[in-house]
Amino acid sequence: MDETGFTPIGLSGYRGDSFLNGLNAVAKWALGYLDSLEDRDVSQEITPGEILSKLSEEPPLEGVGPDGWDQLLGDVESIVEPGLVHWQSPRFFAYFPCSASMAGVMGELVSSVLNVNGMLWSTSPSATEIEMRMMDWCADLFGLPDQFRFDRAHSIGGGCIQGTASEAALAALVAARRRMIDQGRDRTTVTLYTSTQAHSSIVKAAMVAGLADTPEDGSRVRLVPTDGQLRMDPRALMDAIRCDIDAGLTPCFVSTTQGTTSTGACDPLNEIGENLAELREPQRPWLHVDAAWAGAAAVCPEHRAMLAGVEHADSLCINPHKWLLTNFDCDLFWVRDRRALTDSMSITPAYLHNASSEDGGVIDYRDWHVPLGRRMRAIKLWFVIRHFGVEGLRAHIRHHIELAKLFEAFVEGELRLEQVFERVLGLVCFRVVGGTEADGRTRRLIERVNGRRRVMISQTVVPLMDGAGETRDGVIARVAVGSTGVDRRHIEELIREIGTVLDKGVE
Ligand code: PLP
């Protein structure tokens, strides 16, 4: 206790015995939790407000102190766990995975202990330089062209870790707009293009950037139609761009998706890139590639076709936090010309001036996104890559794709189901047969399968072609294989659960 009567917290939170006890207690809890996932249901019945009601309305006056780890973890068990959907369950097949790993957890822990703010190179050179190296490693890992790397002679490209693909889309859009303004073009006539199947984050980026007032506002945003496989129609894209140019507008940004959220469709990136390259400069819009989920599979050379044409891109993002064993959050974002990005984000108040930045020889990652302060996310990625190695990561992806094929074979052989699109990597989309009844039956199948809580799958609505060649929106079910611990027996359980619900009837 000091003269003010206060015991300085200082490093007492890290006092050897207490810290070790805490680490041991957390490790014991973590192992118990992860082991329990094999048996636990994926989701639980809970009503809104139930978790809230377990928490006192006021913060505690007295803390539990350095020996209170068991009390805190007791609360995790009794308050937190009952309100979770277990995303790390091997029977979680909904949305896209959020894959974690032991190496990722350790990396997060190290990063939390260091807890540096890597906003500038000078505020922690390791934070910046490890991240730069990881971005170049990952460019290698995914077979990306040299334009995205820092470590090539005369490079003006490079990458950084963003929190999410949505943040990457916003960064790409403002960089595109900045480039356009630097070309002396009219910022008030900007238009942007993505497909009707793109993730909502692209339109959201337009909303945040002031280019759309609502999700439906099409005054600047063009949603390009897709083909029967839900891939962007390259001709329709070029028609829309040319039409806007003729109308005196300024096409600024095109975003393709390699692996759409609903069905995993991959836009014809090469053709789109070649078409855009034919536009006279400065009419060529910025080309962003959103490979948030599917991009992870590019660690395997046999799955790189989806990125064919990526050399035409100005920016690209892939999320290792979805399918590459790297705990939340980790989106890799590369740009061909980092100046457009940093010019759009850089502002230097007096308190951030420093000699290294002024010399211009360093990367200051605060200029690559909206936040100033930034966590050292690269450490967990570094741990993951060093732990598994390139071959380990490839084996992980290949294993999941083989498991998805098992599920696909079940759908193919089950007369009450139809596979509506080709499987893409670990994603299988299907619905219940039944003509005009199919939507209702599919919805009920998903609800009832999830209601049994042993497995979790998800739904979406996409344009489907009916027998008469007419297209209309239809409900489909999605099974995305990607949880870290998933294995054959979990796929078998998924198949049994779906079979049981079908046997009971989904009328
Ligand atoms: N892009 C695609 C293709 C996605 O599937 C998703 C999410 O599933 C996103 C972007 C958004 O990802 P994030 O949560 O990282 O913003």
Side-chain angles (χ1 to χ4, degrees):
M1 201 176 290
D2 68 9
E3 62 279 8
T4 65
F6 177 71
T7 306
I9 293 173
L11 291 179
S12 76
Y14 295 91
R15 220 179 41 214
D17 53 345
S18 170
F19 193 46
L20 262 188
N21 288 344
L23 285 178
N24 282 331
V26 170
K28 202 167 140 224
W29 163 81
L31 271 181
Y33 173 72
L34 292 171
D35 278 350
S36 74
L37 292 176
E38 188 66 41
D39 300 319
R40 281 191 202 221
D41 286 348
V42 179
S43 65
Q44 358 193 17
E45 202 171 336
I46 186 141
T47 49
E50 213 173 305
I51 303 301
L52 205 55
S53 70
K54 293 187 187 179
L55 294 161
S56 62
E57 284 177 14
E58 309 283 329
L61 274 182
E62 300 288 330
V64 293
D67 298 320
W69 304 118
D70 287 340
Q71 286 177 66
L72 298 186
L73 289 165
D75 285 353
V76 170
E77 281 171 355
S78 63
I79 301 176
V80 181
E81 289 183 20
L84 295 177
V85 169
H86 300 294
W87 281 69
Q88 299 311 310
S89 165
R91 285 170 276 102
F92 182 92
F93 300 102
Y95 311 106
F96 279 138
C98 223
S99 71
S101 64
M102 200 170 58
V105 171
M106 300 299 174
E108 272 287 303
L109 179 60
V110 173
S111 154
S112 317
V113 170
L114 299 175
N115 207 30
V116 299
N117 181 339
M119 56 187 177
L120 300 167
W121 176 86
S122 58
T123 59
S124 263
S126 319
T128 299
E129 294 189 10
I130 292 171
E131 184 159 331
M132 290 171 70
R133 183 62 84 213
M134 286 310 105
M135 293 307 298
D136 280 350
W137 273 15
C138 287
D140 211 308
L141 200 64
F142 299 123
L144 301 182
D146 284 356
Q147 73 211 38
F148 293 125
R149 302 182 65 130
F150 286 110
D151 63 357
R152 294 296 185 256
H154 315 298
S155 158
I156 55 166
C160 76
I161 302 182
Q162 303 267 351
T164 63
S166 306
E167 292 164 59
L170 178 64
L173 178 57
V174 297
R177 183 167 58 181
R178 176 65 204 210
R179 183 174 78 178
M180 204 205 73
I181 293 167
D182 287 347
Q183 289 165 338
R185 309 185 73 209
D186 181 3
R187 65 184 306 154
T188 63
T189 54
V190 166
T191 47
L192 62 110
Y193 309 79
T194 195
S195 92
T196 52
Q197 292 300 309
H199 189 265
S200 55
S201 52
I202 306 300
V203 175
K204 187 166 178 172
M207 291 164 68
V208 175
L211 299 175
D213 290 340
T214 62
E216 296 75 32
D217 178 1
S219 53
R220 311 286 197 89
V221 179
R222 312 282 181 251
L223 294 184
V224 179
T226 53
D227 66 11
Q229 287 300 311
L230 304 187
R231 299 170 295 210
M232 190 194 286
D233 175 349
R235 193 178 298 169
L237 169 67
M238 292 314 288
D239 287 349
I241 290 177
R242 291 214 166 87
C243 179
D244 284 340
I245 293 175
D246 291 348
L249 299 173
T250 313
C252 171
F253 181 78
V254 173
S255 181
T256 70
T257 317
Q258 311 315 117
T260 57
T261 314
S262 282
T263 62
C266 289
D267 291 338
L269 173 58
N270 198 33
E271 191 177 343
I272 290 170
E274 281 176 358
N275 290 346
L276 293 178
E278 280 171 17
L279 290 171
R280 280 183 297 112
E281 289 292 352
Q283 286 183 340
R284 188 180 70 80
W286 181 288
L287 177 58
H288 176 64
V289 175
D290 174 2
W293 162 70
V299 294
C300 304
E302 71 272 23
H303 296 305
R304 289 193 183 149
M306 73 178 133
L307 291 181
V310 73
E311 64 280 6
H312 297 291
D314 294 286
S315 57
L316 160 73
C317 78
I318 296 176
N319 283 10
H321 73 224
K322 284 200 187 329
W323 198 17
L324 216 56
L325 298 165
T326 309
N327 299 48
F328 245 139
D329 48 356
C330 186
D331 166 87
L332 305 178
F333 176 59
W334 287 273
V335 281
R336 171 203 290 271
D337 179 354
R338 55 184 185 256
R339 289 167 309 194
L341 177 62
T342 56
D343 287 352
S344 69
M345 300 275 191
S346 190
I347 171 164
T348 310
Y351 40 82
L352 294 180
H353 277 281
N354 70 92
S356 326
S357 300
E358 268 131 51
D359 286 351
V362 296
I363 293 291
D364 286 329
Y365 272 132
R366 68 174 179 131
D367 296 333
W368 292 57
H369 45 47
V370 175
L372 169 61
R374 62 195 323 268
R375 311 195 303 119
M376 198 168 171
R377 295 189 183 99
I379 276 229
K380 67 188 165 199
L381 187 61
W382 190 31
F383 273 33
V384 166
I385 299 173
R386 291 187 68 203
H387 179 81
F388 293 99
V390 177
E391 284 304 339
L393 295 174
R394 287 180 177 153
H396 152 78
I397 295 287
R398 287 175 182 144
H399 175 55
H400 287 182
I401 292 175
E402 287 310 308
L403 293 177
K405 287 182 188 167
L406 277 182
F407 181 71
E408 182 185 31
F410 157 71
V411 174
E412 278 169 1
E414 169 55 74
L415 295 178
R416 295 167 290 184
L417 299 178
E418 61 173 333
Q419 191 176 345
V420 269
F421 293 97
E422 277 176 27
R423 174 187 53 78
V424 178
L425 305 166
L427 178 66
V428 182
C429 296
F430 61 100
R431 68 197 230 120
V432 183
V433 295
T436 55
E437 300 299 313
D439 279 353
R441 288 182 188 171
T442 305
R443 262 193 218 290
R444 284 189 286 279
L445 174 80
I446 299 165
E447 273 165 24
R448 290 176 194 174
V449 165
N450 289 345
R452 290 166 58 84
R453 305 195 183 282
R454 286 302 293 166
V455 299
M456 190 161 168
I457 62 177
S458 59
Q459 63 85 41
T460 188
V461 175
V462 289
L464 297 172
M465 190 103 75
D466 67 17
E470 295 288 317
T471 299
R472 56 165 198 86
D473 281 350
V475 180
I476 62 173
R478 301 168 68 263
V479 161
V481 178
S483 289
T484 305
V486 63
D487 215 337
R488 191 185 180 99
R489 64 184 181 283
H490 307 113
I491 302 291
E492 286 164 357
E493 190 164 352
L494 169 67
I495 291 172
R496 275 199 305 280
E497 286 295 296
I498 292 177
T500 304
V501 171
L502 284 173
D503 289 348
K504 289 188 172 169
V506 286
E507 304 310 319

